[in-house]
């Protein structure tokens, strides 16, 4: 019998973490202000880490903290106190990549569950079993693996396995890249990646500075390292039946909208599979949901074949999306039918919006009435960033409901 896998979502800050939990994640992974690989993702102070753990545990969810940098000697001085603090606040597990950090954790916090990060390049069953023998509870498989390879590892390894199923793909091997170091001095393996792989490149010959030659037959230049994003939703049945224990969404630097929408789409898909395995099909509305958030064109990565030219985007580095996040519901008054909304994008009376809730139904309505919460006056437009307004709702809405608008409707 196939075990229902954990749905693991990214959390770049406290708000994203709460959204991921409320929209269906079984667990979230996040980082403190140091020792993780997303130094510019917002991240969590000591106080926020504790609040995140308390919020998740109150709802029966788990929190995993990334300690997956490749540290230099200077990084090691403050690490022991940080590890002890993570144990003190009851973090559920740590994600580590470096063997020295792993052994330090085993020594200082021996009861802490340890997961081996994808940064450790876990691509074969022998490596997975070696980490298990050292005391790892879970191994995160490299993105550069096929479905058949994952199935073989599952057969030969009695340890929790985690795999990526959605999000950005690094051009480097499991994220171990030095482009950012070379071009900007920002160390990608210590949390400061500048995403140099997304830049536009052309060729310059040494004796002709300033003369740029396109790398392909196109006078615009090329984004030669710009991969499409991974999306395994169309193949979620294969993913589940591969036997992995945790399905991971990439994107700690993505938006609140991304955290909520992608998490809920996969939540519905996984639950639907286990509700009726024999008749399971991927629904169009789940794929539509993944198109609404900012993303590059989608690919299956290495899952079914070695990536080729069709898995890259050579002409641009911009993102696609079909809807804009315009407001976040803070509360709802059933007696009046008004919701208190925090503005996240310009919105006007008369516009049609989509109401996207953590657990309630998805529906559409027109904005018929808005009141400035500070002046108590009727307004026709909410142009100010994070302006607090009251909005008339056609149906009851939950706290943390996302209001969004079709981009074509601007």
């Amino acid at each position: 019998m196939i075990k229902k896998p954990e749905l693991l979502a990214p959390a770049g800050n406290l708000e994203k973490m709460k959204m991921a939990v409320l929209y269906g994640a079984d667990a979230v992974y996040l980082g403190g202000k140091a020792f993780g690989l997303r130094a510019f993702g917002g991240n969590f102070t000591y106080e926020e880490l504790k609040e995140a753990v308390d919020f998740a545990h109150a709802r029966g969810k788990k929190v995993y903290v990334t300690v997956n940098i490749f540290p230099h000697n200077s990084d090691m001085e403050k690490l022991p106190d940080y590890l002890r603090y993570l144990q003190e606040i009851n973090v559920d597990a740590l994600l580590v990549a470096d063997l020295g950090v792993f052994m330090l954790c085993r020594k200082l916090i021996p009861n802490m569950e340890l997961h081996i990060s994808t940064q450790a390049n876990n691509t074969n069953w022998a490596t997975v079993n070696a980490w298990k023998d050292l005391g790892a509870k879970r191994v995160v498989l490299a993105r550069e693996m096929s479905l058949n390879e994952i199935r073989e590892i599952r057969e030969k390894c009695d340890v929790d396995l985690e795999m990526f199923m959605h999000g950005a793909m690094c051009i480097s091997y499991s994220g171990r890249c030095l482009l950012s170091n070379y071009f900007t001095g920002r160390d990608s393996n210590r949390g400061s990646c500048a995403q140099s792989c997304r830049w536009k490149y052309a060729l310059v010959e040494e004796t002709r500075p300033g003369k740029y030659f396109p790398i392909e037959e196109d006078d615009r230049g090329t984004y030669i390292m710009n991969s499409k994003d991974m999306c395994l939703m169309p193949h979620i049945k294969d993913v589940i039946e591969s036997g992995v224990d945790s399905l991971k969404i990439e994107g700690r630097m993505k938006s609140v909208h991304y955290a909520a929408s992608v998490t809920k789409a996969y939540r519905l898909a996984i639950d639907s599979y286990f509700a009726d395995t024999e008749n399971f099909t991927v629904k169009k509305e789940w794929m539509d949901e993944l198109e609404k958030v900012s993303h590059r064109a989608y690919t299956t990565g290495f899952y079914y074949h070695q990536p080729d030219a069709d898995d890259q985007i050579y002409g641009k580095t911009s993102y696609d999306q079909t809807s804009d996040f315009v407001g976040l519901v803070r509360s709802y008054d059933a007696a009046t039918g008004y919701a208190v909304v925090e503005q996240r994008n310009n919105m006007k009376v008369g516009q049609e919006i989509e109401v996207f809730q953590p657990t309630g139904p998805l529906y559409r309505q027109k904005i018929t009435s808005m009141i400035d919460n500070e002046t108590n006056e009727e307004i026709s437009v909410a142009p100010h960033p994070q302006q607090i307004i009251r909005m008339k709702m056609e149906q009851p809405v939950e706290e943390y409901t996302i209001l969004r608008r079709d981009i074509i409707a601007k």
Side-chain angles (χ1 to χ4, degrees), residues 333-402:
D333 186 342
T336 64
Y338 274 81
V340 175
V341 175
E342 181 182 316
Q343 185 260 36
R344 294 298 178 95
N345 210 323
N346 186 292
M347 53 184 169
K348 302 175 183 178
V349 170
Q351 288 179 332
E352 185 177 73
I353 57 172
E354 188 172 56
V355 181
F356 177 58
Q357 306 189 70
T359 61
L362 181 74
Y363 72 92
R364 302 178 78 91
Q365 71 164 66
K366 278 193 174 181
I367 302 176
T368 58
S369 173
M370 293 193 299
I371 299 171
D372 187 299
N373 208 50
E374 187 173 325
T375 65
N376 212 34
E377 296 177 352
E378 286 268 357
I379 57 175
S380 60
V381 60
H384 307 303
Q386 295 186 289
Q387 182 177 359
I388 304 298
I389 63 169
R390 299 197 302 280
M391 180 187 294
K392 184 69 174 177
M393 305 303 297
E394 292 181 2
Q395 299 179 31
V397 291
E398 305 163 7
E399 186 181 8
Y400 289 102
T401 288
I402 284 176

Side-chain angles (χ1 to χ4, degrees), residues 67-299:
V67 191
N68 58 344
I69 65 166
F70 292 102
H72 290 233
N73 291 336
S74 58
D75 297 311
M76 301 301 290
E77 181 180 349
K78 296 181 179 179
L79 184 55
D81 287 343
Y82 182 60
L83 296 176
R84 293 187 185 100
Y85 177 75
L86 296 177
Q87 178 174 258
E88 180 184 320
I89 63 172
N90 296 314
V91 165
D92 295 283
L94 305 186
L95 274 154
V96 301
D98 179 77
L99 181 60
V101 173
F102 180 89
M103 299 309 292
L104 186 63
C105 291
R106 296 283 290 158
K107 178 181 178 181
L108 295 178
I109 48 173
N111 296 322
M112 175 65 72
E113 185 171 305
L114 299 179
H115 299 177
I116 306 305
S117 169
T118 186
Q119 296 289 124
N121 305 140
N122 307 301
T123 59
N124 63 78
W125 57 264
T127 296
V128 172
N129 279 331
W131 280 115
K132 180 201 171 185
D133 291 343
L134 287 172
K137 176 66 167 58
R138 176 182 295 181
V139 176
V140 185
L141 300 175
R143 291 174 177 85
E144 298 80 11
M145 301 194 66
S146 70
L147 170 61
N148 288 334
E149 288 177 310
I150 292 170
R151 286 171 173 164
E152 184 178 358
I153 289 176
R154 177 70 292 164
E155 290 172 1
K156 294 186 176 181
C157 300
D158 182 21
V159 65
D160 280 4
L161 299 177
E162 178 180 307
M163 63 168 278
F164 284 89
M165 65 173 175
H166 192 93
M169 296 282 285
C170 285
I171 197 67
S172 62
Y173 210 88
S174 289
R176 295 181 73 164
C177 177
L178 290 173
L179 286 175
S180 177
N181 305 55
Y182 181 78
F183 286 116
T184 71
R186 285 164 44 175
D187 191 340
S188 53
N189 294 309
R190 296 168 83 187
S192 301
C193 180
Q195 294 198 333
S196 307
C197 57
R198 308 302 182 197
W199 299 353
K200 186 175 183 178
Y201 290 92
L203 183 67
V204 178
E205 201 275 323
E206 183 179 10
T207 62
R208 286 181 279 183
K211 178 68 173 175
Y212 295 92
F213 300 91
I215 299 175
E216 62 174 337
E217 294 180 8
D218 186 323
D219 59 7
R220 297 170 301 168
T222 180
Y223 297 87
I224 56 173
M225 293 174 282
N226 191 32
S227 171
K228 293 180 180 179
D229 286 354
M230 174 187 278
C231 174
L232 295 180
M233 175 65 84
H235 310 281
I236 192 68
K237 183 175 185 291
D238 283 351
V239 172
I240 293 171
E241 292 177 357
S242 70
V244 296
D245 300 274
S246 181
L247 303 179
K248 188 171 196 169
I249 300 166
E250 187 277 338
R252 278 191 285 150
M253 295 180 71
K254 294 285 193 176
S255 67
V256 168
H257 185 198
Y258 180 96
S261 297
V262 176
T263 298
K264 186 167 184 180
Y266 280 101
R267 175 78 282 149
L268 292 172
I270 293 168
D271 290 350
S272 179
Y273 172 88
F274 282 92
D276 187 1
T277 301
E278 290 186 7
N279 299 305
F280 174 79
T281 57
V282 174
K283 295 181 180 179
K284 181 179 181 296
E285 54 259 40
W286 304 337
M287 290 303 302
D288 289 344
E289 198 61 49
L290 300 179
E291 294 292 338
K292 290 175 182 177
V293 297
S294 177
H295 67 285
R296 301 179 190 89
Y298 288 131
T299 173

Side-chain angles (χ1 to χ4, degrees), residues 321-326 344-348 351-352 364 404-410:
Q321 65 186 101
T322 61
S323 70
D324 273 338
F325 173 27
V326 297
R344 294 298 178 95
N345 210 323
N346 186 292
M347 53 184 169
K348 302 175 183 178
Q351 288 179 332
E352 185 177 73
R364 302 178 78 91
R404 57 193 180 193
R405 176 185 62 223
D406 294 344
I407 287 180
I408 57 174
K410 283 183 178 178

